[in-house]
Amino acid sequence: MLLDPEELNRKHQRWIALVTEMHAEFQFTRNASVAWTNLGKPLSESTVALVCTAGIHLKSQPAYDLLNPHGDWSFREIPGDAPAQAIGVSHSHYDTEAPQRDIDCVFPIRTLRTLVARGVVGAAAKTHYGMMGFVPNGTPIVEETAPEIARRLAADGVDAALLTPG
Amino acid sequence: MCHQSVGLVQNALEAAGIATVSVSVRPEITAYVGVPRAAYLRFPTGQPLGEVGQPHQHEAITQAALQLIETAKEPGTIVELPFRWRRMPRVVGGGD
């Protein structure tokens, strides 16, 4: 079902009011134009990667910087075969209780493996990516983080990606 | 803000030749940032793919979102998925 533009507009106005009250330095960052790529083959023959901004990382990796008021736009590599128990969550701007108990609530790594086993998806990428999405000014994501993740996924032969927030 | 970050990374991937879809529980942010395709769920933040210990729910939602990559026809497509919060039977286990 497509969304009601009036409902979207009401939600958007509420969001702007809330964010500008909470984060004086917040700069709304949007894409200059929306890109488009056709998959070009069935999902069942495609390699799919996950990118999650919910603050996920391997527990063996450094956590994200939750104290910097400008956020943390670094990323973490998550091996496609990482066990769910090896993945932790560091994020201060939403309630992480659910993903701490079940990482697939935000980062469907086991779910993707199930879809591969069922033949819905061709293969899981050898590496997925985690980020911590609290970055009030998105410019460093546009200029640094996003192109680097895109370059790595393309080099790995990834055809499609599912992105999830916190 | 997670949604803003998702949208910015998503567009870069799409521009690099990777077909993408994002999951959103804040469609107003997703629409503002501008993404190729998104699946909207009326779910709380922290659980965009569903509830704790619901692998079948996560699977159904993930599959439905991924299928948008095959079915969406134009940039900026945001589709609400027909899942409702706390309506799925609970199951035990299903993890690694």
Side-chain angles (χ1 to χ4, degrees):
Chain A
M1 151 190 1
L2 292 174
L3 302 182
D4 174 11
E6 287 189 17
E7 181 190 352
L8 267 188
N9 187 47
R10 281 195 305 274
K11 287 174 179 282
H12 189 225
Q13 294 306 321
R14 277 205 305 272
W15 173 57
I16 287 176
L18 180 67
V19 170
T20 49
E21 183 182 317
M22 292 174 66
H23 306 289
E25 79 283 20
F26 186 78
Q27 296 191 24
F28 299 97
T29 314
R30 63 196 303 192
N31 294 311
S33 64
V34 179
W36 185 262
T37 291
N38 285 312
L39 183 54
K41 56 176 149 178
L43 203 53
S44 58
E45 297 173 15
S46 299
T47 297
V48 174
L50 304 175
V51 179
C52 175
T53 65
I56 61 139
H57 55 85
L58 292 178
K59 291 173 182 170
S60 58
Q61 293 170 333
Y64 298 98
D65 183 351
L66 304 184
L67 301 178
N68 187 339
H70 303 296
D72 181 349
W73 51 91
S74 63
F75 62 82
R76 306 285 183 271
E77 292 187 325
I78 313 290
D81 60 358
Q85 302 93 310
I87 302 168
V89 186
S90 300
H91 202 304
S92 55
H93 283 71
Y94 77 96
D95 182 355
T96 61
E97 190 253 346
Q100 300 279 6
R101 292 166 56 201
D102 182 347
I103 198 68
D104 281 61
C105 290
V106 295
F107 181 62
I109 187 167
R110 287 175 297 192
T111 305
L112 182 62
R113 291 197 281 258
T114 302
L115 292 176
V116 171
R118 280 183 45 212
V120 174
V121 169
K126 72 174 186 180
T127 306
H128 304 304
Y129 289 88
M131 294 172 59
M132 193 279 287
F134 175 73
V135 182
N137 181 341
T139 304
I141 292 181
V142 173
E143 294 182 349
E144 300 170 28
T145 317
E148 180 60 17
I149 292 176
R151 188 189 66 75
R152 289 169 179 238
L153 290 177
D156 280 352
V158 167
D159 303 302
L162 174 71
L163 296 96
T164 50
Chain B
M1 237 168 272
C2 278
H3 285 73
Q4 175 173 291
S5 301
V6 160
L8 298 176
V9 176
Q10 181 177 358
N11 208 49
L13 267 52
E14 192 87 15
I18 297 166
T20 64
V21 64
S22 56
V23 173
S24 176
V25 297
R26 299 291 305 276
E28 71 277 19
I29 304 177
T30 301
Y32 179 80
V33 176
V35 301
R37 311 163 197 81
Y40 166 43
L41 294 130
R42 293 176 193 265
F43 284 6
T45 56
Q47 301 173 76
L49 297 169
E51 297 171 62
V52 171
Q54 294 280 8
H56 298 311
Q57 184 188 37
H58 301 161
E59 189 180 328
I61 291 169
T62 301
Q63 182 171 346
L66 284 171
Q67 282 170 342
L68 268 184
I69 294 177
E70 294 185 317
T71 58
K73 299 286 187 239
E74 58 182 10
T77 300
I78 302 177
V79 175
E80 181 173 359
L81 297 185
F83 296 91
R84 291 292 173 263
W85 193 245
R86 296 191 188 285
R87 296 288 172 85
M88 305 279 283
R90 295 195 77 83
V91 295
V92 176
D96 269 323

